Amino acid sequence: VSQDVADGFFDINDLLHGRLDVLSRCASSALWVSNGIRKDTSVFLMIFPHNITIEIQGQTVRGLNPNERTMALYLQRTLLIGDKEGQENDVD
């Protein structure tokens, strides 16, 4: 993953760049059950070689649709506001 992607600077219409489509698909698949979000699930997305880990907790997810684009928007927002010092940021 390039530094731009790790910093949240990527085009939502081109998720193949940096393989954001894979991250989005994995997170969506882990969180979604047939009619809603799994409340007892946490997903950890690790972005190498930048040593970035994003934790998504099912119990705190709000307003997520089961598609790659919406998940990519959440990831982008998290990466843009994320503190590189390791503090947690909640994205609702």
Side-chain angles (χ1 to χ4, degrees), residues 4 6 9 11 16-19 22 24 37-38 44 47 51 53-55 61 65 76-77 81-82 85 88 92:
D4 286 341
F9 300 113
D11 184 8
L16 292 176
H17 177 74
R19 297 308 305 195
V22 174
S24 298
I37 298 289
R38 297 172 198 215
F44 292 88
I47 301 175
N51 295 327
T53 302
I54 299 171
E55 179 183 8
V61 172
N65 293 322
Q76 184 177 48
R77 182 175 170 200
I81 65 172
E85 298 299 320
E88 292 184 14
D92 291 330

Side-chain angles (χ1 to χ4, degrees), residues 55-88:
E55 179 183 8
I56 306 168
Q57 298 176 350
Q59 62 190 5
T60 62
V61 172
R62 304 285 182 268
L64 182 64
N65 293 322
N67 60 51
E68 292 175 22
R69 184 179 166 89
T70 304
M71 179 58 75
L73 286 168
Y74 274 80
L75 294 175
Q76 184 177 48
R77 182 175 170 200
T78 300
L79 290 167
L80 286 170
I81 65 172
D83 183 8
K84 302 302 182 202
E85 298 299 320
Q87 295 180 356
E88 292 184 14

Side-chain angles (χ1 to χ4, degrees), residues 16-63:
L16 292 176
H17 177 74
R19 297 308 305 195
L20 267 294
D21 61 323
V22 174
L23 289 173
S24 298
R25 196 173 303 130
C26 288
S28 291
S29 295
L31 289 171
W32 275 94
V33 69
S34 62
N35 60 351
I37 298 289
R38 297 172 198 215
K39 301 295 183 188
D40 62 346
T41 302
S42 291
V43 178
F44 292 88
L45 301 174
M46 302 176 82
I47 301 175
F48 289 107
H50 308 288
N51 295 327
I52 297 172
T53 302
I54 299 171
E55 179 183 8
I56 306 168
Q57 298 176 350
Q59 62 190 5
T60 62
V61 172
R62 304 285 182 268

